[in-house]
Structure formats: structure tokens, C-alpha cells
Amino acid sequence: MGYVASTYRLQFVCVLITIVVSALANVAGPLFLMVLIDDFITPLLGRQGPDFTSLNHAMMGLAVFYVVGVACTYIYNRLMVNIGQGVQKRIRDEMFEHMQSLPIRYFDQHPHGELMSRFTNDVDTISEALNSSFAMMIQSFITITGTLAMLLILSLKLSLIVMVFLALMILFIRFNGRRSKKYFVQQQKYLGSINGFVEEMVAGQKVEKVFNHEAQDYEEFCRRNEAFRAAATKALTYSGMTVPTIVSLSYINYALSACVGGLFALAGLTDLGTLASYLVYVRQSAMPMNQFTQQINFLLAALSGAERIFD
């Protein structure tokens, strides 16, 4: 794996740089909205025939932030596809090279289909994680950190509401993630077992027919298939609960922040531009959390596959 790290070191650096720029552009956008409202829109409301030249320049500046973020997102996605496919190829090369050096008894003790599953299903899970989850989780972490910092800067009192809901989200993610990982590991194990059994049955069809063993083999396949179904159902059930729960908590968080923030604005404790930017950050804080939780499912499957590969 050292070869992989050295080969893609420069591309990894480019990916990290573009991820950071993309995340910072997304974080800076709502702050620029506060400047637009307080310094340009609000003062112009009381004028007759206002001059929008300065406002147009400011809006163009805001557009540049988001265009840069989109461009960086496109660049690191393309780079990660190249890295993911290259790493996938190298892993298979090293696995096959290592397999050639294994003794005969190893192949006698392990079903051939189960070994093939490590070259296909398990490597594919790692490739999917590299293509999307790696970059997305880094960007989500930077976005969450920057967003929380801006929330604390804009309004420390209102941020207490956000902190409570973020704590609830993190606790739920940890609780649900532990259970999801357990069943994702079982899912990969049973999938390899099915592949191994099918390979043996296809290769030994003549023997099966001679000894009239079709019924017993069918029962054995159903047993293994049912074990896979049960593990996959539990894994997807736990992982599927994560995103809806986080989304529901984020909506409640946004509603409470908007209500309390509106009362603060009426009481003169905050201005309109600050409140508008703050609410955008509150809404934005939920998005990277959702992305983070979605990618956890891919990572759990990838870790399960990686354990089987490095075994």
C-alpha cells in the first residue's frame, strides 16, 4: 500500500486543497449575505430612486464565492474518481500477487467463491468509499466546524439551541452507528458465504446430480440466503433510520432558532442582516451532518470489506 500512497500523493494534496476551498466558500457565503442586507439593502429601502451599482458589485462578489465552491467541488470529485479506481486496481493486483504465494491447504480450507467475493464485492465497497465518502466527510467536517464558529460569532445566546440539537444528533449517530457496523460486517460475511456455496454447486453439478443431493443443497442455500437477508435488513434498517432522524431534528432546530431569533430582532437584540445570516448557517449546519451520516453507511460497509481483504 506504500506504492499507492506515493503514486497518488500529489493528487491527494490537490483534493485536500480543493475540498478546503470549497468548504470555506460555502461557509463565507452566508456571512456575505449579512453584509448585503445591513450595508446595502436596508439603507436603500428609505431612498427614492436608489443607486444599485454598489449592490450589484456586492452581489457579484457573493456569486464568485459560490462559483469557486462549485468549481472546486467538480475538481476534487474528478480527482477522487481517478484515485479510487487506481487504488482499487492496485489492491486487486496485490491481493492476486499474495494469493499466488499461499499454500495449497489455504485453498482447501476456504471456498473458492468466498475468495472471489473478496476480489469483487469487498474491493467495490472500498472503491465506493474512496470515490465519494472520503472527500465528502472531509468537506462536511470543515463545513460543520466553520459553521459552528460563525454561529458562535453571530449570536452566542441563540447558538445554545443549535448546540443542544447537534449534541442530540451526535449521540444518535454514535448509538446507531455501532449497531449498523455490526450488521454490515455480518452482511459482507454472509455474502461471501453465498458466493462460495454457489461456486461450489456450479462446479460440482455432476456430483450433485449423481448423489441426488438437490433438495439438501437447496435447503442449505436457503439457510445461507436467509442469514444474509436478516443481516442486510438489520444493517439497512439501522442505517436508514439515521438520515430521517437527523433531518427531523434539524427542522425542529431551525424552527426554534427562527422563532427565538425573531423575538430577539423585535427586542432590538440583533439586526435583520445578522438574523438572516444566522438562520442560513443554522440550516447549513444540518446539511453537512446529513452528508456525514449518509457517508457513514458507505464507510461501515467499506471497513467491513477492508477487514476481509487484509485478513
Side-chain angles (χ1 to χ4, degrees):
M1 299 306 292
Y3 170 86
V4 174
S6 61
T7 302
Y8 297 101
R9 182 179 292 112
L10 179 59
Q11 293 189 46
F12 268 120
V13 172
C14 293
V15 166
L16 290 175
I17 293 174
T18 51
I19 289 175
V20 171
V21 173
S22 175
L24 293 180
N26 291 331
V27 171
L31 185 63
F32 208 80
L33 179 64
M34 178 185 69
V35 177
L36 283 175
I37 294 175
D38 289 342
D39 295 349
F40 294 99
I41 297 178
T42 302
L44 291 175
L45 293 178
R47 298 182 184 177
Q48 297 295 326
D51 180 13
F52 286 98
T53 303
S54 299
L55 178 59
N56 290 335
H57 290 164
M59 292 181 68
M60 289 178 61
L62 178 61
V64 168
F65 273 102
Y66 288 110
V67 169
V68 170
V70 170
C72 289
T73 301
Y74 173 79
I75 292 172
Y76 76 66
N77 279 328
R78 290 296 300 270
L79 288 174
M80 284 308 303
V81 169
N82 183 55
I83 294 173
Q85 294 303 312
V87 171
Q88 183 181 20
K89 173 186 178 299
R90 186 60 186 179
I91 288 176
R92 285 200 176 108
D93 288 343
E94 292 189 2
M95 285 177 62
F96 190 83
E97 180 183 13
H98 179 68
M99 186 180 68
Q100 298 294 88
S101 65
L102 294 174
I104 296 297
R105 66 175 181 275
Y106 181 86
F107 298 97
D108 292 336
Q109 295 170 357
H110 294 80
H112 296 169
E114 199 270 342
L115 294 176
M116 292 175 61
S117 179
R118 305 194 186 202
F119 279 88
T120 54
N121 299 318
D122 294 334
V123 175
D124 286 343
T125 59
I126 295 179
S127 177
E128 290 177 6
L130 283 174
N131 288 339
S132 58
S133 302
F134 175 77
M136 187 64 70
M137 292 194 72
I138 295 177
Q139 185 186 35
S140 298
F141 176 77
I142 297 173
T143 303
I144 291 173
T145 304
T147 300
L148 291 179
M150 296 311 304
L151 287 172
L152 293 172
I153 293 173
L154 291 175
S155 178
L156 184 59
K157 294 180 180 179
L158 279 176
S159 297
L160 295 177
I161 299 175
V162 178
M163 293 301 177
V164 170
F165 278 93
L166 286 179
L168 292 175
M169 293 178 188
I170 293 172
L171 289 175
F172 179 79
I173 290 172
R174 290 187 60 187
F175 172 82
N176 215 38
R178 291 175 180 174
R179 283 153 180 77
S180 297
K181 184 177 185 300
K182 172 185 175 182
Y183 293 112
F184 273 118
V185 171
Q186 292 182 6
Q187 174 183 303
Q188 292 298 115
K189 173 185 174 182
Y190 292 136
L191 181 58
S193 174
I194 290 176
N195 289 338
F197 187 78
V198 170
E199 191 274 337
E200 288 180 351
M201 292 302 100
V202 172
Q205 274 294 309
K206 293 181 180 180
V207 176
E208 182 186 43
K209 295 291 185 181
V210 168
F211 289 95
N212 196 26
H213 215 259
E214 293 92 337
Q216 294 90 329
D217 290 339
Y218 176 71
E219 291 178 1
E220 175 63 18
F221 177 82
C222 290
R223 185 188 66 79
R224 299 190 185 203
N225 199 26
E226 173 60 22
F228 172 74
R229 183 206 62 80
T233 299
K234 291 179 180 179
L236 294 175
T237 298
Y238 280 111
S239 63
M241 291 169 53
T242 306
V243 174
T245 303
I246 297 301
V247 170
S248 299
L249 289 173
S250 68
Y251 284 148
I252 298 173
N253 179 26
Y254 184 80
L256 286 177
S257 299
C259 292
V260 177
L263 294 175
F264 279 15
L266 292 175
L269 298 176
T270 184
D271 54 73
L272 185 60
T274 300
L275 179 60
S277 293
Y278 184 87
L279 292 178
V280 173
Y281 278 120
V282 172
R283 195 73 188 95
Q284 184 171 289
S285 66
M287 181 178 66
M289 288 294 294
N290 292 336
Q291 293 173 340
F292 193 85
T293 53
Q294 289 173 348
Q295 300 312 315
I296 283 178
N297 298 331
F298 290 108
L299 286 178
L300 290 175
L303 288 174
S304 302
E307 289 178 1
R308 288 164 48 81
I309 288 173
F310 290 107
D311 279 344

